[in-house]
Amino acid sequence: MKIPVRELYYFDVIQKLPYRTKTILGELIFRGSKDGFIVLKKRTREIQQLIELGLIIDNPIYRGKGFSISILPIAPHLHRAYKRKFQREGGVVVEKESV
């Protein structure tokens, strides 16, 4: 799948994330719906960082327990590409940065 140029910025942002945050984003994509929504119980530091970067946003319509977020709403092609990749691999496989 080809990623539109306007979404490549977010690809670059994801590549520069710390390992733990990148893994959490991958888990959100893998476990979330195909439309990019997921309900979480609590906000972690990494979730807050992803919100601040604009990679995930709060879903203000949700009224249940916990809170709902939309994953990569500004980069739907990138979301679909990651979702397919993780489904093919059977889960999230993020390469650890070499130190």
Side-chain angles (χ1 to χ4, degrees):
M1 170 180 246
K2 197 166 188 177
I3 306 298
V5 175
R6 67 183 177 275
E7 294 184 17
L8 291 178
Y9 166 78
Y10 296 102
F11 177 77
D12 190 47
V13 170
I14 292 169
Q15 296 306 307
K16 293 177 182 174
L17 288 174
Y19 176 76
R20 179 165 167 71
T21 308
K22 194 184 306 184
T23 303
I24 289 171
L25 178 61
E27 284 291 330
L28 292 174
I29 293 169
F30 180 67
R31 296 185 187 288
S33 71
K34 71 175 184 160
D35 298 325
F37 289 97
I38 190 168
V39 175
L40 302 173
K41 293 180 182 178
K42 64 179 183 174
R43 289 181 196 268
T44 63
R45 184 171 29 99
E46 291 83 5
I47 295 294
Q48 191 57 42
Q49 181 183 13
L50 293 169
I51 290 171
E52 290 168 5
L53 290 170
L55 297 174
I56 62 177
I57 62 167
D58 283 311
N59 177 6
I61 298 170
Y62 181 75
R63 297 284 180 238
K65 289 187 177 185
F67 66 101
S68 175
I69 57 170
S70 177
I71 309 155
L72 293 174
I74 33 55
H77 295 88
L78 187 59
H79 177 269
R80 277 193 299 278
Y82 275 122
K83 183 84 170 169
R84 286 183 183 134
K85 176 182 186 278
F86 296 146
Q87 286 175 338
R88 272 194 319 268
E89 295 172 355
V92 178
V93 179
V94 177
E95 292 186 24
K96 201 163 197 156
E97 298 128 21
S98 56
V99 178

